[in-house]
Amino acid sequence: MKLSRRKLSFQLTPLLDLLLIVIFAQYMEVQETAETQAVEVAQKLNAAQDTAELARLQLLAKLEVAEQERNQLQIERNRLQSTMQERETEISDELRQSREEIQELGEILSRLFRLPQETIKRVLAARSEVERDELRREIETMAGSRAAEMVKHLRTWRELLKRCDVWDIHIGDDNLTTMTAAGKTFKFRAETPERFNAEIYARYKALPQPKNLVILLVSWSDAQFSVRQAAITGVAEVTQKMYDDSDRRTRFEYAILGFSPPLQ
């Protein structure tokens, strides 16, 4: 049985339409895939650019920090050089001062053992037998010491004075009390412990802030017994009074040296 040509053409048309639909669907799929890939590539490119920009900014920040550190090191180097120069100057000044101190101490030593015999006798006569023996031994030891040892001893005393204040209180033959403290000299009369206490305390209030330790040395020459006794009693009271007034931040100690005539 044979089919006519017209009928056969009607049967191929749907197949052709289906083929076109399939081809168009594949085209659309390929087009969509291409667009997706293009978007992904663009995203990756943007991410790479962002990463590169971030790396560039981080590198610039590190370079800036490095530059700041270099500048800081340069400043520190200049400061150390300046400090070294200042220290060299200080050492030079200290050496010069040490030479001057040694020369000054040498002059003091040259005069130290030229005291008049009458003065030495008066000093020894006012001491007890035990004190006279101790003083005699000290004088003999000092006289027999080498110059270097004497200089060391006197420099030790000078260093001690840098760390504490020494107030010298001397009652003269005329019963006039002379107080030397902080480079100042005061004179007053005190016949009673109360008066002595008040005079010392008033001078203490007028002086600059003392160091953490203050030592009061009390001595006299041919002063009256009552005046000497007033000083002995008053100094014990006024040291405690000054200690309390300083809120116990400064210690006040005293030593009774006793008879000590002016060195002439």
Side-chain angles (χ1 to χ4, degrees), residues 218-264:
V218 181
S219 63
W220 53 77
S221 52
D222 292 330
Q224 293 179 359
F225 175 79
S226 60
V227 178
R228 302 197 308 262
Q229 195 62 37
I232 294 173
T233 304
V235 72
E237 298 174 353
V238 75
T239 50
Q240 183 62 43
K241 184 177 181 180
M242 292 186 293
Y243 177 58
D244 294 337
D245 181 74
S246 68
D247 293 332
R248 304 197 171 191
R249 291 192 300 266
T250 301
R251 287 177 52 199
F252 290 87
E253 303 290 344
Y254 68 92
I256 306 299
L257 302 182
F259 183 80
S260 179
L263 299 180
Q264 300 175 349

mmCIF file of all heavy atoms in Angstrom, residues 218-264:
data_model
loop_
_atom_site.group_PDB
_atom_site.id
_atom_site.type_symbol
_atom_site.label_atom_id
_atom_site.label_comp_id
_atom_site.label_asym_id
_atom_site.label_seq_id
_atom_site.Cartn_x
_atom_site.Cartn_y
_atom_site.Cartn_z
ATOM 1 N N VAL A 218 75.800 69.064 119.659
ATOM 2 C CA VAL A 218 75.787 70.091 120.711
ATOM 3 C C VAL A 218 77.142 70.099 121.415
ATOM 4 O O VAL A 218 77.614 69.064 121.901
ATOM 5 C CB VAL A 218 74.652 69.820 121.723
ATOM 6 C CG1 VAL A 218 74.641 70.914 122.790
ATOM 7 C CG2 VAL A 218 73.308 69.738 121.014
ATOM 8 N N SER A 219 77.738 71.270 121.451
ATOM 9 C CA SER A 219 79.033 71.416 122.137
ATOM 10 C C SER A 219 79.064 72.777 122.823
ATOM 11 O O SER A 219 78.200 73.628 122.607
ATOM 12 C CB SER A 219 80.187 71.298 121.129
ATOM 13 O OG SER A 219 80.109 72.349 120.173
ATOM 14 N N TRP A 220 80.061 72.963 123.657
ATOM 15 C CA TRP A 220 80.213 74.240 124.360
ATOM 16 C C TRP A 220 81.670 74.457 124.729
ATOM 17 O O TRP A 220 82.496 73.533 124.696
ATOM 18 C CB TRP A 220 79.338 74.266 125.618
ATOM 19 C CG TRP A 220 79.573 73.083 126.526
ATOM 20 C CD1 TRP A 220 80.617 72.880 127.388
ATOM 21 C CD2 TRP A 220 78.747 71.925 126.615
ATOM 22 N NE1 TRP A 220 80.495 71.685 128.019
ATOM 23 C CE2 TRP A 220 79.357 71.078 127.580
ATOM 24 C CE3 TRP A 220 77.568 71.511 126.017
ATOM 25 C CZ2 TRP A 220 78.800 69.836 127.924
ATOM 26 C CZ3 TRP A 220 77.023 70.296 126.362
ATOM 27 C CH2 TRP A 220 77.635 69.459 127.300
ATOM 28 N N SER A 221 81.979 75.691 125.061
ATOM 29 C CA SER A 221 83.326 76.006 125.558
ATOM 30 C C SER A 221 83.196 76.292 127.055
ATOM 31 O O SER A 221 82.751 75.428 127.807
ATOM 32 C CB SER A 221 83.934 77.164 124.769
ATOM 33 O OG SER A 221 83.045 78.269 124.732
ATOM 34 N N ASP A 222 83.547 77.491 127.512
ATOM 35 C CA ASP A 222 83.471 77.802 128.947
ATOM 36 C C ASP A 222 82.132 78.456 129.288
ATOM 37 O O ASP A 222 82.079 79.535 129.884
ATOM 38 C CB ASP A 222 84.639 78.722 129.346
ATOM 39 C CG ASP A 222 85.964 77.992 129.255
ATOM 40 O OD1 ASP A 222 85.968 76.762 129.451
ATOM 41 O OD2 ASP A 222 86.981 78.648 128.976
ATOM 42 N N ALA A 223 81.044 77.796 128.910
ATOM 43 C CA ALA A 223 79.712 78.320 129.195
ATOM 44 C C ALA A 223 79.284 77.915 130.602
ATOM 45 O O ALA A 223 79.831 76.976 131.201
ATOM 46 C CB ALA A 223 78.710 77.789 128.169
ATOM 47 N N GLN A 224 78.297 78.635 131.143
ATOM 48 C CA GLN A 224 77.787 78.313 132.471
ATOM 49 C C GLN A 224 77.113 76.934 132.469
ATOM 50 O O GLN A 224 76.554 76.491 131.477
ATOM 51 C CB GLN A 224 76.782 79.378 132.924
ATOM 52 C CG GLN A 224 77.393 80.748 133.157
ATOM 53 C CD GLN A 224 76.343 81.759 133.580
ATOM 54 O OE1 GLN A 224 75.165 81.446 133.678
ATOM 55 N NE2 GLN A 224 76.785 82.997 133.839
ATOM 56 N N PHE A 225 77.159 76.304 133.622
ATOM 57 C CA PHE A 225 76.596 74.965 133.754
ATOM 58 C C PHE A 225 75.100 74.957 133.461
ATOM 59 O O PHE A 225 74.591 74.049 132.800
ATOM 60 C CB PHE A 225 76.868 74.427 135.161
ATOM 61 C CG PHE A 225 76.202 73.099 135.418
ATOM 62 C CD1 PHE A 225 76.762 71.931 134.934
ATOM 63 C CD2 PHE A 225 74.999 73.023 136.119
ATOM 64 C CE1 PHE A 225 76.140 70.699 135.146
ATOM 65 C CE2 PHE A 225 74.383 71.808 136.340
ATOM 66 C CZ PHE A 225 74.958 70.636 135.851
ATOM 67 N N SER A 226 74.386 75.966 133.944
ATOM 68 C CA SER A 226 72.931 76.007 133.751
ATOM 69 C C SER A 226 72.565 76.119 132.278
ATOM 70 O O SER A 226 71.589 75.523 131.811
ATOM 71 C CB SER A 226 72.322 77.172 134.532
ATOM 72 O OG SER A 226 72.874 78.407 134.092
ATOM 73 N N VAL A 227 73.365 76.876 131.523
ATOM 74 C CA VAL A 227 73.107 77.037 130.100
ATOM 75 C C VAL A 227 73.393 75.729 129.358
ATOM 76 O O VAL A 227 72.641 75.318 128.471
ATOM 77 C CB VAL A 227 73.938 78.190 129.523
ATOM 78 C CG1 VAL A 227 73.720 78.327 128.018
ATOM 79 C CG2 VAL A 227 73.602 79.501 130.222
ATOM 80 N N ARG A 228 74.489 75.072 129.783
ATOM 81 C CA ARG A 228 74.809 73.786 129.157
ATOM 82 C C ARG A 228 73.719 72.765 129.452
ATOM 83 O O ARG A 228 73.294 72.004 128.578
ATOM 84 C CB ARG A 228 76.166 73.277 129.648
ATOM 85 C CG ARG A 228 77.333 74.236 129.391
ATOM 86 C CD ARG A 228 78.674 73.533 129.504
ATOM 87 N NE ARG A 228 78.824 72.800 130.747
ATOM 88 C CZ ARG A 228 79.471 73.257 131.824
ATOM 89 N NH1 ARG A 228 80.003 74.487 131.798
ATOM 90 N NH2 ARG A 228 79.595 72.520 132.902
ATOM 91 N N GLN A 229 73.263 72.741 130.707
ATOM 92 C CA GLN A 229 72.232 71.789 131.095
ATOM 93 C C GLN A 229 70.913 72.068 130.366
ATOM 94 O O GLN A 229 70.181 71.141 129.997
ATOM 95 C CB GLN A 229 72.018 71.831 132.604
ATOM 96 C CG GLN A 229 71.223 70.641 133.155
ATOM 97 C CD GLN A 229 71.927 69.322 132.910
ATOM 98 O OE1 GLN A 229 73.157 69.232 132.986
ATOM 99 N NE2 GLN A 229 71.156 68.284 132.598
ATOM 100 N N ALA A 230 70.611 73.336 130.147
ATOM 101 C CA ALA A 230 69.405 73.691 129.404
ATOM 102 C C ALA A 230 69.475 73.147 127.980
ATOM 103 O O ALA A 230 68.472 72.671 127.430
ATOM 104 C CB ALA A 230 69.223 75.204 129.393
ATOM 105 N N ALA A 231 70.662 73.212 127.380
ATOM 106 C CA ALA A 231 70.824 72.687 126.016
ATOM 107 C C ALA A 231 70.689 71.168 125.999
ATOM 108 O O ALA A 231 70.046 70.602 125.105
ATOM 109 C CB ALA A 231 72.176 73.107 125.454
ATOM 110 N N ILE A 232 71.274 70.488 126.983
ATOM 111 C CA ILE A 232 71.211 69.024 127.025
ATOM 112 C C ILE A 232 69.760 68.557 127.173
ATOM 113 O O ILE A 232 69.300 67.640 126.485
ATOM 114 C CB ILE A 232 72.078 68.484 128.176
ATOM 115 C CG1 ILE A 232 73.550 68.788 127.899
ATOM 116 C CG2 ILE A 232 71.859 66.987 128.351
ATOM 117 C CD1 ILE A 232 74.472 68.443 129.062
ATOM 118 N N THR A 233 69.024 69.208 128.060
ATOM 119 C CA THR A 233 67.618 68.821 128.266
ATOM 120 C C THR A 233 66.747 69.241 127.087
ATOM 121 O O THR A 233 65.881 68.483 126.629
ATOM 122 C CB THR A 233 67.087 69.451 129.558
ATOM 123 O OG1 THR A 233 67.925 69.078 130.662
ATOM 124 C CG2 THR A 233 65.660 69.010 129.830
ATOM 125 N N GLY A 234 66.973 70.447 126.589
ATOM 126 C CA GLY A 234 66.126 70.975 125.515
ATOM 127 C C GLY A 234 66.294 70.260 124.195
ATOM 128 O O GLY A 234 65.326 70.080 123.450
ATOM 129 N N VAL A 235 67.523 69.802 123.885
ATOM 130 C CA VAL A 235 67.747 69.168 122.596
ATOM 131 C C VAL A 235 67.009 67.830 122.497
ATOM 132 O O VAL A 235 66.523 67.442 121.432
ATOM 133 C CB VAL A 235 69.254 68.993 122.326
ATOM 134 C CG1 VAL A 235 69.857 67.903 123.200
ATOM 135 C CG2 VAL A 235 69.502 68.671 120.844
ATOM 136 N N ALA A 236 66.901 67.124 123.625
ATOM 137 C CA ALA A 236 66.160 65.856 123.613
ATOM 138 C C ALA A 236 64.676 66.095 123.339
ATOM 139 O O ALA A 236 64.024 65.311 122.633
ATOM 140 C CB ALA A 236 66.346 65.126 124.941
ATOM 141 N N GLU A 237 64.150 67.188 123.890
ATOM 142 C CA GLU A 237 62.732 67.486 123.697
ATOM 143 C C GLU A 237 62.453 68.011 122.287
ATOM 144 O O GLU A 237 61.473 67.613 121.646
ATOM 145 C CB GLU A 237 62.288 68.521 124.731
ATOM 146 C CG GLU A 237 62.413 68.039 126.176
ATOM 147 C CD GLU A 237 62.107 69.141 127.168
ATOM 148 O OE1 GLU A 237 61.941 70.293 126.715
ATOM 149 O OE2 GLU A 237 62.058 68.860 128.377
ATOM 150 N N VAL A 238 63.309 68.876 121.774
ATOM 151 C CA VAL A 238 63.027 69.503 120.488
ATOM 152 C C VAL A 238 63.214 68.518 119.333
ATOM 153 O O VAL A 238 62.523 68.622 118.304
ATOM 154 C CB VAL A 238 63.914 70.752 120.295
ATOM 155 C CG1 VAL A 238 65.355 70.377 119.969
ATOM 156 C CG2 VAL A 238 63.341 71.634 119.180
ATOM 157 N N THR A 239 64.119 67.541 119.453
ATOM 158 C CA THR A 239 64.263 66.552 118.384
ATOM 159 C C THR A 239 62.978 65.739 118.221
ATOM 160 O O THR A 239 62.542 65.458 117.097
ATOM 161 C CB THR A 239 65.450 65.623 118.657
ATOM 162 O OG1 THR A 239 65.367 65.113 120.000
ATOM 163 C CG2 THR A 239 66.765 66.343 118.483
ATOM 164 N N GLN A 240 62.373 65.365 119.346
ATOM 165 C CA GLN A 240 61.110 64.626 119.272
ATOM 166 C C GLN A 240 59.994 65.511 118.704
ATOM 167 O O GLN A 240 59.156 65.059 117.915
ATOM 168 C CB GLN A 240 60.716 64.124 120.664
ATOM 169 C CG GLN A 240 59.443 63.286 120.689
ATOM 170 C CD GLN A 240 59.559 62.020 119.877
ATOM 171 O OE1 GLN A 240 60.584 61.343 119.938
ATOM 172 N NE2 GLN A 240 58.533 61.685 119.117
ATOM 173 N N LYS A 241 60.008 66.776 119.079
ATOM 174 C CA LYS A 241 58.990 67.710 118.602
ATOM 175 C C LYS A 241 59.096 67.897 117.090
ATOM 176 O O LYS A 241 58.079 67.912 116.375
ATOM 177 C CB LYS A 241 59.143 69.043 119.329
ATOM 178 C CG LYS A 241 58.080 70.072 118.982
ATOM 179 C CD LYS A 241 58.274 71.339 119.810
ATOM 180 C CE LYS A 241 57.211 72.383 119.491
ATOM 181 N NZ LYS A 241 57.409 73.630 120.296
ATOM 182 N N MET A 242 60.303 68.041 116.582
ATOM 183 C CA MET A 242 60.494 68.217 115.142
ATOM 184 C C MET A 242 60.151 66.933 114.391
ATOM 185 O O MET A 242 59.601 66.974 113.286
ATOM 186 C CB MET A 242 61.936 68.649 114.853
ATOM 187 C CG MET A 242 62.250 70.058 115.367
ATOM 188 S SD MET A 242 63.887 70.653 114.889
ATOM 189 C CE MET A 242 64.952 69.527 115.816
ATOM 190 N N TYR A 243 60.468 65.792 114.976
ATOM 191 C CA TYR A 243 60.130 64.501 114.370
ATOM 192 C C TYR A 243 58.622 64.352 114.203
ATOM 193 O O TYR A 243 58.130 63.930 113.154
ATOM 194 C CB TYR A 243 60.704 63.380 115.237
ATOM 195 C CG TYR A 243 60.379 61.992 114.763
ATOM 196 C CD1 TYR A 243 60.740 61.561 113.484
ATOM 197 C CD2 TYR A 243 59.726 61.094 115.598
ATOM 198 C CE1 TYR A 243 60.451 60.274 113.057
ATOM 199 C CE2 TYR A 243 59.421 59.811 115.174
ATOM 200 C CZ TYR A 243 59.795 59.404 113.909
ATOM 201 O OH TYR A 243 59.500 58.131 113.488
ATOM 202 N N ASP A 244 57.888 64.727 115.234
ATOM 203 C CA ASP A 244 56.424 64.658 115.160
ATOM 204 C C ASP A 244 55.876 65.667 114.148
ATOM 205 O O ASP A 244 54.922 65.374 113.421
ATOM 206 C CB ASP A 244 55.819 64.918 116.540
ATOM 207 C CG ASP A 244 56.158 63.815 117.533
ATOM 208 O OD1 ASP A 244 56.459 62.689 117.084
ATOM 209 O OD2 ASP A 244 56.141 64.083 118.755
ATOM 210 N N ASP A 245 56.487 66.847 114.093
ATOM 211 C CA ASP A 245 56.008 67.883 113.179
ATOM 212 C C ASP A 245 56.201 67.483 111.720
ATOM 213 O O ASP A 245 55.417 67.891 110.853
ATOM 214 C CB ASP A 245 56.739 69.195 113.453
ATOM 215 C CG ASP A 245 56.268 70.319 112.539
ATOM 216 O OD1 ASP A 245 55.155 70.824 112.764
ATOM 217 O OD2 ASP A 245 57.003 70.668 111.606
ATOM 218 N N SER A 246 57.221 66.689 111.423
ATOM 219 C CA SER A 246 57.491 66.249 110.045
ATOM 220 C C SER A 246 56.679 65.024 109.664
ATOM 221 O O SER A 246 56.965 64.395 108.645
ATOM 222 C CB SER A 246 58.986 65.939 109.874
ATOM 223 O OG SER A 246 59.339 64.800 110.631
ATOM 224 N N ASP A 247 55.674 64.691 110.494
ATOM 225 C CA ASP A 247 54.878 63.474 110.267
ATOM 226 C C ASP A 247 55.754 62.232 110.262
ATOM 227 O O ASP A 247 55.483 61.259 109.557
ATOM 228 C CB ASP A 247 54.098 63.576 108.943
ATOM 229 C CG ASP A 247 53.020 64.651 109.001
ATOM 230 O OD1 ASP A 247 52.515 64.917 110.115
ATOM 231 O OD2 ASP A 247 52.712 65.231 107.953
ATOM 232 N N ARG A 248 56.839 62.326 111.019
ATOM 233 C CA ARG A 248 57.769 61.207 111.200
ATOM 234 C C ARG A 248 58.408 60.758 109.888
ATOM 235 O O ARG A 248 58.800 59.614 109.741
ATOM 236 C CB ARG A 248 57.066 60.033 111.886
ATOM 237 C CG ARG A 248 56.436 60.432 113.220
ATOM 238 C CD ARG A 248 56.106 59.264 114.082
ATOM 239 N NE ARG A 248 55.715 59.714 115.415
ATOM 240 C CZ ARG A 248 55.572 58.902 116.457
ATOM 241 N NH1 ARG A 248 55.787 57.618 116.319
ATOM 242 N NH2 ARG A 248 55.206 59.384 117.630
ATOM 243 N N ARG A 249 58.518 61.683 108.946
ATOM 244 C CA ARG A 249 59.218 61.397 107.691
ATOM 245 C C ARG A 249 60.707 61.710 107.810
ATOM 246 O O ARG A 249 61.507 61.169 107.044
ATOM 247 C CB ARG A 249 58.608 62.209 106.547
ATOM 248 C CG ARG A 249 57.203 61.784 106.153
ATOM 249 C CD ARG A 249 56.786 62.436 104.835
ATOM 250 N NE ARG A 249 56.814 63.890 104.944
ATOM 251 C CZ ARG A 249 55.768 64.628 105.255
ATOM 252 N NH1 ARG A 249 54.610 64.050 105.510
ATOM 253 N NH2 ARG A 249 55.851 65.933 105.311
ATOM 254 N N THR A 250 61.069 62.596 108.733
ATOM 255 C CA THR A 250 62.464 62.969 108.928
ATOM 256 C C THR A 250 62.882 62.594 110.347
ATOM 257 O O THR A 250 62.222 62.972 111.322
ATOM 258 C CB THR A 250 62.671 64.477 108.715
ATOM 259 O OG1 THR A 250 62.268 64.818 107.377
ATOM 260 C CG2 THR A 250 64.124 64.855 108.908
ATOM 261 N N ARG A 251 63.973 61.845 110.435
ATOM 262 C CA ARG A 251 64.494 61.474 111.755
ATOM 263 C C ARG A 251 65.420 62.585 112.259
ATOM 264 O O ARG A 251 66.236 63.125 111.514
ATOM 265 C CB ARG A 251 65.272 60.166 111.681
ATOM 266 C CG ARG A 251 64.413 58.923 111.507
ATOM 267 C CD ARG A 251 65.290 57.709 111.385
ATOM 268 N NE ARG A 251 66.248 57.635 112.487
ATOM 269 C CZ ARG A 251 67.362 56.901 112.449
ATOM 270 N NH1 ARG A 251 67.670 56.225 111.366
ATOM 271 N NH2 ARG A 251 68.175 56.872 113.500
ATOM 272 N N PHE A 252 65.289 62.881 113.536
ATOM 273 C CA PHE A 252 66.150 63.873 114.173
ATOM 274 C C PHE A 252 66.898 63.184 115.313
ATOM 275 O O PHE A 252 66.286 62.655 116.240
ATOM 276 C CB PHE A 252 65.315 65.044 114.705
ATOM 277 C CG PHE A 252 64.719 65.916 113.639
ATOM 278 C CD1 PHE A 252 63.487 65.604 113.070
ATOM 279 C CD2 PHE A 252 65.391 67.038 113.181
ATOM 280 C CE1 PHE A 252 62.935 66.390 112.081
ATOM 281 C CE2 PHE A 252 64.842 67.841 112.196
ATOM 282 C CZ PHE A 252 63.607 67.520 111.636
ATOM 283 N N GLU A 253 68.210 63.160 115.191
ATOM 284 C CA GLU A 253 69.065 62.576 116.221
ATOM 285 C C GLU A 253 69.994 63.663 116.748
ATOM 286 O O GLU A 253 70.231 64.678 116.086
ATOM 287 C CB GLU A 253 69.889 61.413 115.653
ATOM 288 C CG GLU A 253 69.056 60.293 115.022
ATOM 289 C CD GLU A 253 68.283 59.494 116.046
ATOM 290 O OE1 GLU A 253 68.623 59.591 117.256
ATOM 291 O OE2 GLU A 253 67.342 58.771 115.664
ATOM 292 N N TYR A 254 70.507 63.453 117.952
ATOM 293 C CA TYR A 254 71.432 64.444 118.511
ATOM 294 C C TYR A 254 72.583 63.730 119.208
ATOM 295 O O TYR A 254 72.491 62.564 119.617
ATOM 296 C CB TYR A 254 70.709 65.370 119.488
ATOM 297 C CG TYR A 254 70.258 64.703 120.765
ATOM 298 C CD1 TYR A 254 71.082 64.702 121.904
ATOM 299 C CD2 TYR A 254 69.021 64.080 120.854
ATOM 300 C CE1 TYR A 254 70.670 64.093 123.079
ATOM 301 C CE2 TYR A 254 68.593 63.471 122.014
ATOM 302 C CZ TYR A 254 69.423 63.474 123.123
ATOM 303 O OH TYR A 254 69.027 62.861 124.293
ATOM 304 N N ALA A 255 73.676 64.459 119.307
ATOM 305 C CA ALA A 255 74.871 63.941 119.996
ATOM 306 C C ALA A 255 75.442 65.087 120.825
ATOM 307 O O ALA A 255 75.591 66.216 120.345
ATOM 308 C CB ALA A 255 75.902 63.426 118.996
ATOM 309 N N ILE A 256 75.736 64.786 122.081
ATOM 310 C CA ILE A 256 76.349 65.762 122.980
ATOM 311 C C ILE A 256 77.859 65.611 122.883
ATOM 312 O O ILE A 256 78.421 64.629 123.365
ATOM 313 C CB ILE A 256 75.850 65.561 124.428
ATOM 314 C CG1 ILE A 256 74.310 65.583 124.489
ATOM 315 C CG2 ILE A 256 76.457 66.626 125.321
ATOM 316 C CD1 ILE A 256 73.696 66.871 124.027
ATOM 317 N N LEU A 257 78.499 66.539 122.215
ATOM 318 C CA LEU A 257 79.955 66.495 122.067
ATOM 319 C C LEU A 257 80.686 67.011 123.288
ATOM 320 O O LEU A 257 81.871 66.718 123.492
ATOM 321 C CB LEU A 257 80.377 67.300 120.823
ATOM 322 C CG LEU A 257 79.760 66.846 119.488
ATOM 323 C CD1 LEU A 257 80.319 67.696 118.353
ATOM 324 C CD2 LEU A 257 80.008 65.389 119.236
ATOM 325 N N GLY A 258 79.990 67.812 124.084
ATOM 326 C CA GLY A 258 80.621 68.333 125.291
ATOM 327 C C GLY A 258 81.545 69.506 124.995
ATOM 328 O O GLY A 258 81.318 70.299 124.078
ATOM 329 N N PHE A 259 82.606 69.591 125.778
ATOM 330 C CA PHE A 259 83.529 70.735 125.680
ATOM 331 C C PHE A 259 84.268 70.685 124.358
ATOM 332 O O PHE A 259 84.880 69.681 123.974
ATOM 333 C CB PHE A 259 84.522 70.708 126.835
ATOM 334 C CG PHE A 259 85.442 71.906 126.834
ATOM 335 C CD1 PHE A 259 85.008 73.115 127.338
ATOM 336 C CD2 PHE A 259 86.726 71.801 126.305
ATOM 337 C CE1 PHE A 259 85.860 74.208 127.339
ATOM 338 C CE2 PHE A 259 87.562 72.900 126.309
ATOM 339 C CZ PHE A 259 87.118 74.109 126.827
ATOM 340 N N SER A 260 84.215 71.797 123.632
ATOM 341 C CA SER A 260 84.879 71.879 122.342
ATOM 342 C C SER A 260 85.223 73.327 122.076
ATOM 343 O O SER A 260 84.418 74.086 121.521
ATOM 344 C CB SER A 260 83.982 71.345 121.223
ATOM 345 O OG SER A 260 84.634 71.448 119.973
ATOM 346 N N PRO A 261 86.397 73.788 122.482
ATOM 347 C CA PRO A 261 86.781 75.180 122.278
ATOM 348 C C PRO A 261 87.008 75.479 120.800
ATOM 349 O O PRO A 261 87.289 74.579 120.015
ATOM 350 C CB PRO A 261 88.090 75.313 123.054
ATOM 351 C CG PRO A 261 88.661 73.937 123.050
ATOM 352 C CD PRO A 261 87.477 73.000 123.116
ATOM 353 N N PRO A 262 86.823 76.706 120.400
ATOM 354 C CA PRO A 262 87.080 77.077 118.999
ATOM 355 C C PRO A 262 88.500 76.762 118.617
ATOM 356 O O PRO A 262 89.436 77.006 119.405
ATOM 357 C CB PRO A 262 86.801 78.581 118.964
ATOM 358 C CG PRO A 262 85.927 78.844 120.163
ATOM 359 C CD PRO A 262 86.366 77.874 121.215
ATOM 360 N N LEU A 263 88.686 76.209 117.419
ATOM 361 C CA LEU A 263 90.033 75.895 116.950
ATOM 362 C C LEU A 263 90.662 77.162 116.445
ATOM 363 O O LEU A 263 90.163 77.835 115.550
ATOM 364 C CB LEU A 263 89.950 74.837 115.837
ATOM 365 C CG LEU A 263 89.337 73.485 116.249
ATOM 366 C CD1 LEU A 263 89.322 72.527 115.070
ATOM 367 C CD2 LEU A 263 90.064 72.884 117.434
ATOM 368 N N GLN A 264 91.793 77.487 117.010
ATOM 369 C CA GLN A 264 92.493 78.722 116.628
ATOM 370 C C GLN A 264 93.899 78.398 116.156
ATOM 371 O O GLN A 264 94.480 77.401 116.562
ATOM 372 C CB GLN A 264 92.537 79.702 117.788
ATOM 373 C CG GLN A 264 91.138 80.103 118.270
ATOM 374 C CD GLN A 264 91.199 80.971 119.488
ATOM 375 O OE1 GLN A 264 92.252 81.132 120.111
ATOM 376 N NE2 GLN A 264 90.065 81.543 119.865
#
